[in-house]
Amino acid sequence: MNKAFVIGISMTKFVRDPKLRVEKMGASAVWEAVGEAGINLKDIQEVYCGNVFGGAGVGQKVMAEVGFIGMPITNIENCCSSASNAFREVYHAVSLGRIDIGLAIGVENTTSLLQGRPIADEDDLEGAMGNSFPAIYAQRARRYMWTYGLKPEHLAKIAVINRRNGYYNEKAGFGALIDIDTVLKSPMVADPLHLYDCNTHADGAAAAVIVNEGIAKRLGGKPVEIVGSSLQSGKLPERFIDMTFEDVSYRAAQDAYKQAGIGPEDIDFAEVHDCFTIAEVLRVEGIGLCERGGMVKWIEDGTIEITGKKPINRSGGLLSKGHPIGATGIAQIYELCKQLRGEAGKRQIRGAKIGLAMNRGGAIAGIEANACTVHILRS
Amino acid sequence: MNKAFVIGISMTKFVRDPKLRVEKMGASAVWEAVGEAGINLKDIQEVYCGNVFGGAGVGQKVMAEVGFIGMPITNIENCCSSASNAFREVYHAVSLGRIDIGLAIGVENTTSLLQGRPIADEDDLEGAMGNSFPAIYAQRARRYMWTYGLKPEHLAKIAVINRRNGYYNEKAGFGALIDIDTVLKSPMVADPLHLYDCNTHADGAAAAVIVNEGIAKRLGGKPVEIVGSSLQSGKLPERFIDMTFEDVSYRAAQDAYKQAGIGPEDIDFAEVHDCFTIAEVLRVEGIGLCERGGMVKWIEDGTIEITGKKPINRSGGLLSKGHPIGATGIAQIYELCKQLRGEAGKRQIRGAKIGLAMNRGGAIAGIEANACTVHILRS
């Protein structure tokens, strides 16, 4: 394995606008990432593009809009993990020496397609019976509350923290300064999850230029090294065995730690897939940052906040940024790079050296998740 | 680069049946390929699944149906090249030493979705104006006829040859013993292309198990080596510069020849993407098997037939097999493996040592093709 570095990264501001076109959003992200990398478009040897709902040829549409096409372009679908999956493919191509410079894109317009509906596959009997994502996470929250003494106020505090983090992130469309009361008084979506416990679908794009060590050194700038990259899918019945433990998140994280030669104690901060407040709880524990049930205390004592030992979702997370399905994974890595380069402005985590991004999505046919990726980056 | 081999390959019979489900077809293909490979399901370290129209998580649905899941699964979309693109990703993972055993799947039910319509993207202004695939290929046929003296009878002869080849292929849903008159008297779709000059959408699946040299030797059987694998995308205006030359096919083929350390003269037989009869003409020339304009003579003198020097589409091609978009690419590789292992029965090409599969798809935003793959396999 050769070393691989992110030398250009970008994301559009995530918003809700059905009129935004994937090729325009994607091209905007590509131009910014390529510009930051200081490379020419013709230097891009290969492109992987994550997208779920855009139909055929989304990567090609983006690159045609960018104005440079002809290199290999592969479109990747893995539900909410599509962008981080595309990032992984480019990372592998570079780290295994197949290419020197690659481009990963994630892009989605969800609002024109989903019109507010939770995503459920036509064939999804479970979803058709009402066990949609809010319902699934509500059940998991109830179980976690029963097992570990978590209260709605704890979940509400995550909503408050992440919305505040997002308030200081100019790319986050839904940050806000709210208090716990606001969360608890917001409409109930699926008991115990209120409206503010849920993320919102959104529209946006993100892109990353990944290169090998020689090029990273030659171009200068602030390369960020990718030291771990793992993709796993869920196993069959695990969601029903223990709703408070994320086996797929655990496996992906352990694999990534092994690659990086570190343990969870070495992670300075993380972006985790907080599609709901309870999801952040389950994921911080799933990736082994915190012991099982330990998030109750971490929420209470501020460990996950900017002043704490393990700031989580300093970008604002999905709760603040919004969640453009096929773009979210690279947007997490955007935050990692910004923090590791010391460019996060008002939301900068002091002394951030190693960051982790955990992205997961889908739950077909009773499996825990279609996919879960964990990436570890180092400044 | 390490050596990589196909040790298990399968395809379902391609048919038209809207009721066939992707997970059932896919699982059927996976079980057969894995069985032929002589490996356990738990030995599969990674899966890439090609599909276009099946929605999110098709690879996961297939593997859940198979009954074994948990490994990394990535879904690949690249229009009609989706399956060969998935095959390429697995090949890279094995040949670059990232994994030892990988599985590539291609699967599609087109008939439940397309209902006979030619595929056109909603945003495709060209398609909306009537420039659908039959129209585009009709224009290319006219131009080729004007330039090189090709006649409708030449195209009809390709339809006759490929339909006859398919008649002897039990996996081909649409083979037939027809004559040139039948083709020329069939309804005109887009002058000069008659009904029999066109392939049909279909439903089906194909799968391939790819392993490294050590495992191929240990398991025995009849491993087929992958010696070249290329993916390219079209450039912007090239379709309008010369409609008789396929730049993207040329680039993909030249790249694959270079990897294999051979030239087109070394190819014993090929499967090319004959979505229309004229497409076979353009592609055999595009990949450099035949000089430009030379296909007129090759059709006349039988070079492309079983008795000729360069048998083309001995499986029956898309014209006979039918074209389940996301499965077609691996079905081409199925034919290569069957021929190279001497297991093609009545359609066996004597002394076949090196075969080429050329698969392409899509034409968004005025580019020649979204993707083109060329694979070269050796017995």
Side-chain angles (χ1 to χ4, degrees):
Chain A
M1 296 283 283
N2 304 315
K3 288 186 175 186
F5 298 82
V6 179
I7 60 163
I9 186 105
S10 69
M11 65 179 281
T12 64
K13 180 171 183 172
F14 289 177
V15 294
R16 290 176 67 90
D17 183 351
K19 294 189 303 299
L20 288 173
R21 298 177 65 84
V22 288
E23 65 270 28
K24 301 279 182 191
M25 292 189 286
S28 171
V30 170
W31 282 317
E32 192 180 329
V34 166
E36 184 178 271
I39 60 167
N40 285 317
L41 285 168
K42 70 173 176 52
D43 297 330
I44 299 167
Q45 293 168 321
E46 186 149 351
V47 175
Y48 285 85
C49 179
N51 175 267
V52 181
F53 299 107
V58 168
Q60 283 83 356
K61 285 181 187 173
V62 170
M63 293 310 293
E65 180 73 21
V66 165
F68 199 85
I69 196 161
M71 74 292 278
I73 300 172
T74 299
N75 298 297
I76 300 287
E77 185 282 313
N78 232 336
C79 277
C80 308
S81 303
S82 298
S84 58
N85 196 162
F87 183 89
R88 168 195 188 250
E89 304 307 311
V90 178
Y91 164 67
H92 280 151
V94 172
S95 66
L96 296 168
R98 190 164 67 71
I99 62 172
D100 305 315
I101 302 179
L103 173 67
I105 307 169
V107 61
E108 201 85 63
N109 181 299
T110 62
T111 56
S112 67
L113 295 155
L114 296 170
Q115 298 175 320
R117 285 181 290 118
I119 302 161
D121 194 90
E122 280 180 13
D123 304 331
D124 179 8
L125 189 61
E126 211 186 335
M129 302 283 282
N131 209 13
S132 62
F133 280 124
I136 289 170
Y137 281 93
Q139 292 165 40
R140 299 182 72 180
R142 278 280 166 219
R143 179 74 202 193
Y144 189 99
M145 289 161 83
W146 185 82
T147 310
Y148 297 114
L150 183 90
K151 292 176 186 163
E153 287 75 9
H154 290 106
L155 296 177
K157 193 171 171 190
I158 289 181
V160 169
I161 295 167
N162 289 7
R163 288 262 174 7
R164 187 176 59 218
N165 285 344
Y167 181 80
Y168 295 105
N169 180 355
E170 70 285 359
K171 298 293 179 82
F174 310 91
L177 299 177
I178 55 173
D179 58 21
I180 288 177
D181 246 27
T182 313
V183 180
L184 296 177
K185 286 179 180 164
S186 68
M188 187 67 83
V189 173
D191 193 352
L193 303 177
H194 298 81
L195 185 63
Y196 277 107
D197 287 298
C198 310
N199 81 95
T200 177
H201 292 142
D203 311 310
V209 176
I210 302 175
V211 302
N212 64 21
E213 190 169 16
I215 291 169
K217 282 188 173 162
R218 183 148 46 87
L219 288 173
K222 294 181 185 173
V224 175
E225 189 180 354
I226 306 159
V227 294
S229 171
S230 183
L231 168 69
Q232 302 294 328
S233 67
K235 291 180 183 171
L236 267 171
E238 63 197 1
R239 179 147 54 87
F240 307 107
I241 291 174
D242 185 346
M243 288 198 292
T244 68
F245 181 64
E246 301 213 325
D247 175 78
V248 66
S249 307
Y250 175 80
R251 287 188 282 118
Q254 293 301 317
D255 183 28
Y257 293 137
K258 193 176 164 194
Q259 291 174 35
I262 62 171
E265 65 281 5
D266 300 309
I267 301 295
D268 294 320
F269 68 104
E271 293 283 309
V272 305
H273 196 85
D274 57 331
C275 45
F276 299 90
T277 47
I278 183 64
E280 177 166 315
V281 175
L282 297 168
R283 269 125 220 203
V284 172
E285 296 181 9
I287 61 175
L289 279 196
C290 179
E291 62 179 4
R292 293 182 64 180
M295 270 294 276
V296 177
K297 184 162 177 298
W298 278 27
I299 295 166
E300 288 173 359
D301 69 13
T303 300
I304 60 173
E305 297 181 62
I306 179 66
T307 47
K309 282 188 179 168
K310 299 279 183 187
I312 304 295
N313 286 326
R314 192 60 184 139
S315 70
L318 280 61
L319 287 168
S320 271
K321 280 184 292 194
H323 182 22
I325 313 290
T328 290
I330 296 179
Q332 291 183 322
I333 291 169
Y334 173 87
E335 182 67 12
L336 260 52
C337 291
K338 286 285 169 186
Q339 292 286 354
L340 292 170
R341 295 181 341 197
E343 296 173 355
K346 286 184 185 167
R347 63 185 196 285
Q348 182 66 46
I349 299 163
R350 245 181 285 175
K353 299 286 180 203
I354 301 179
L356 179 150
M358 177 272 178
N359 181 211
R360 58 179 264 168
I364 59 102
I367 70 170
E368 187 196 337
N370 285 19
C372 178
T373 65
V374 170
H375 283 93
I376 300 174
L377 276 70
R378 183 155 58 192
S379 63
Chain B
M1 296 283 282
N2 306 314
K3 289 186 175 186
F5 298 83
V6 179
I7 61 162
I9 186 106
S10 69
M11 64 179 283
T12 63
K13 181 171 181 170
F14 288 177
V15 294
R16 289 175 68 89
D17 183 352
K19 293 188 304 298
L20 289 172
R21 297 177 66 84
V22 289
E23 63 272 27
K24 301 279 183 190
M25 292 189 287
S28 172
V30 170
W31 282 317
E32 192 181 327
V34 167
E36 185 179 271
I39 59 167
N40 286 317
L41 284 168
K42 70 173 176 53
D43 296 331
I44 299 167
Q45 294 170 319
E46 186 151 350
V47 175
Y48 285 86
C49 179
N51 175 267
V52 182
F53 299 107
V58 168
Q60 284 82 355
K61 285 181 188 172
V62 170
M63 293 311 292
E65 180 73 21
V66 165
F68 200 85
I69 197 161
M71 74 290 279
I73 300 172
T74 299
N75 298 297
I76 301 286
E77 185 284 312
N78 231 334
C79 276
C80 307
S81 304
S82 297
S84 58
N85 196 162
F87 183 89
R88 168 194 188 254
E89 303 308 312
V90 178
Y91 164 68
H92 280 151
V94 172
S95 66
L96 296 168
R98 190 163 67 71
I99 62 172
D100 305 316
I101 302 179
L103 173 68
I105 306 169
V107 61
E108 199 86 63
N109 182 299
T110 61
T111 57
S112 67
L113 295 156
L114 295 170
Q115 299 174 320
R117 285 180 291 118
I119 303 161
D121 195 271
E122 280 180 13
D123 303 330
D124 178 9
L125 190 60
E126 212 186 333
M129 302 283 281
N131 210 13
S132 62
F133 280 124
I136 289 170
Y137 280 93
Q139 291 165 39
R140 299 181 71 180
R142 279 278 164 222
R143 180 72 202 195
Y144 189 99
M145 290 162 83
W146 184 83
T147 310
Y148 297 115
L150 183 90
K151 291 174 185 166
E153 288 76 8
H154 291 106
L155 296 178
K157 194 172 172 190
I158 289 179
V160 169
I161 295 167
N162 289 7
R163 289 262 174 4
R164 188 174 59 218
N165 285 343
Y167 182 79
Y168 296 106
N169 181 354
E170 68 288 357
K171 298 294 179 82
F174 309 93
L177 299 176
I178 54 172
D179 59 18
I180 287 177
D181 246 28
T182 312
V183 181
L184 296 178
K185 285 178 180 166
S186 68
M188 188 66 84
V189 172
D191 194 353
L193 303 178
H194 298 80
L195 186 62
Y196 277 106
D197 287 297
C198 309
N199 82 95
T200 176
H201 292 143
D203 312 309
V209 176
I210 302 175
V211 301
N212 65 20
E213 191 169 17
I215 291 169
K217 283 189 174 162
R218 182 149 46 90
L219 288 173
K222 294 180 183 173
V224 174
E225 189 181 353
I226 306 159
V227 293
S229 172
S230 183
L231 167 70
Q232 302 294 328
S233 68
K235 290 180 184 170
L236 266 173
E238 63 197 3
R239 179 148 55 88
F240 307 108
I241 291 174
D242 185 346
M243 287 198 292
T244 69
F245 181 65
E246 299 213 326
D247 175 77
V248 66
S249 307
Y250 174 81
R251 285 187 285 117
Q254 293 300 317
D255 183 27
Y257 293 138
K258 192 176 166 193
Q259 291 174 35
I262 62 172
E265 64 282 1
D266 300 309
I267 300 296
D268 294 320
F269 68 105
E271 293 284 309
V272 305
H273 196 86
D274 58 330
C275 45
F276 299 90
T277 48
I278 183 65
E280 177 166 316
V281 174
L282 297 167
R283 269 129 219 202
V284 172
E285 296 181 7
I287 61 174
L289 280 194
C290 178
E291 63 178 3
R292 293 183 64 178
M295 269 293 276
V296 177
K297 185 161 175 298
W298 277 26
I299 296 166
E300 287 172 358
D301 69 12
T303 299
I304 60 173
E305 298 182 62
I306 179 67
T307 47
K309 283 188 180 168
K310 298 279 183 188
I312 303 296
N313 285 327
R314 191 60 184 139
S315 70
L318 280 60
L319 288 167
S320 273
K321 281 184 293 195
H323 180 24
I325 313 292
T328 290
I330 295 179
Q332 291 183 321
I333 290 168
Y334 173 88
E335 181 68 11
L336 260 51
C337 291
K338 286 286 170 185
Q339 292 286 353
L340 293 169
R341 297 183 338 198
E343 296 172 355
K346 287 183 181 166
R347 61 184 199 284
Q348 181 65 48
I349 299 162
R350 247 180 284 175
K353 299 286 181 204
I354 302 178
L356 179 150
M358 178 270 178
N359 182 212
R360 57 180 265 168
I364 58 103
I367 69 170
E368 186 197 338
N370 285 19
C372 178
T373 65
V374 170
H375 283 94
I376 300 174
L377 276 69
R378 183 155 57 190
S379 63

